[in-house]
Amino acid sequence: SILLAQYNYHLFLEEAVEVRDDLQANQLLAWEERIKTSYLQKDLELLGLWPIVPLEWDQEWYSAANEDGILGFLYVSEGSMNGAFHILRALKKNPTIANTEALSFYRSYRDKGRSLWTDFILFLQQQQSNADIEKAVKGAVTAFSLFQRAFQEVEQSFTVDI
């Protein structure tokens, strides 16, 4: 269910960034390298969980991902990839996960993770004012809360017999 929640979160984020030419054009952000839904879709297909019905976003999601708040959503997404290697290592030890090929999402930053994180921090430092930073922090707090809600919604609708 964590992959389903990740898919839903990243689907929303990618759609929100898609309408922002300024973010897509920023070379430090390197947006094309940060798209994760293709990895998540592949993993869900390998697990036999595709196609899915994406969660419906309410106004709280759209309000939180406003012009400055989207930086917080990006921070949550990029920051979470710093722990991907550790999560992957733990998941590989789980005997109930027979198909470790279905974990490509957690390997997606394997070779470029540190440089993507460094570039992302430089991108954040480019942002103009303290007001922008405050809104980005507020966006990150909201993003964490909304991700938790997405996880809970997915968890309620998803059961696996082990």
Side-chain angles (χ1 to χ4, degrees), residues 24-156:
Q24 288 189 41
N26 190 298
Q27 294 202 357
L28 280 176
L29 187 56
W31 178 244
E32 290 298 318
E33 292 185 57
R34 298 176 192 277
I35 293 175
K36 299 174 186 76
T37 52
S38 59
Y39 293 103
L40 288 158
Q41 180 177 338
K42 176 185 170 193
D43 293 347
L44 292 167
E45 287 172 353
L46 287 170
L47 292 170
L49 299 174
W50 192 264
I52 68 162
V53 176
L55 296 177
E56 292 186 24
W57 318 117
D58 59 24
Q59 190 56 43
E60 185 179 5
W61 283 80
Y62 291 108
S63 296
N66 62 20
E67 191 167 326
D68 297 312
I70 193 71
L71 298 177
F73 277 76
L74 287 165
Y75 181 83
V76 169
S77 172
E78 293 305 305
S80 71
M81 294 310 288
N82 286 327
F85 171 76
H86 302 290
I87 293 169
L88 178 62
R89 190 172 48 191
L91 289 172
K92 282 183 171 183
K93 292 178 183 177
N94 185 330
T96 64
I97 299 175
N99 187 355
T100 58
E101 287 301 309
L103 300 173
S104 67
F105 167 69
Y106 294 106
R107 286 190 294 275
S108 64
Y109 274 29
R110 177 179 42 206
D111 298 328
K112 55 190 171 188
R114 182 155 318 269
S115 65
L116 284 172
W117 178 250
T118 300
D119 288 349
F120 181 70
I121 295 301
L122 291 171
F123 163 77
L124 285 179
Q125 291 170 347
Q126 280 183 344
Q127 304 313 303
Q128 299 299 323
S129 70
N130 286 335
D132 294 340
I133 300 301
E134 289 174 22
K135 290 176 185 174
V137 169
K138 185 176 180 183
V141 170
T142 304
F144 275 116
S145 173
L146 292 173
F147 180 81
Q148 180 181 16
R149 193 170 88 200
F151 182 74
Q152 290 167 342
E153 288 180 31
V154 164
E155 194 173 46
Q156 289 173 0

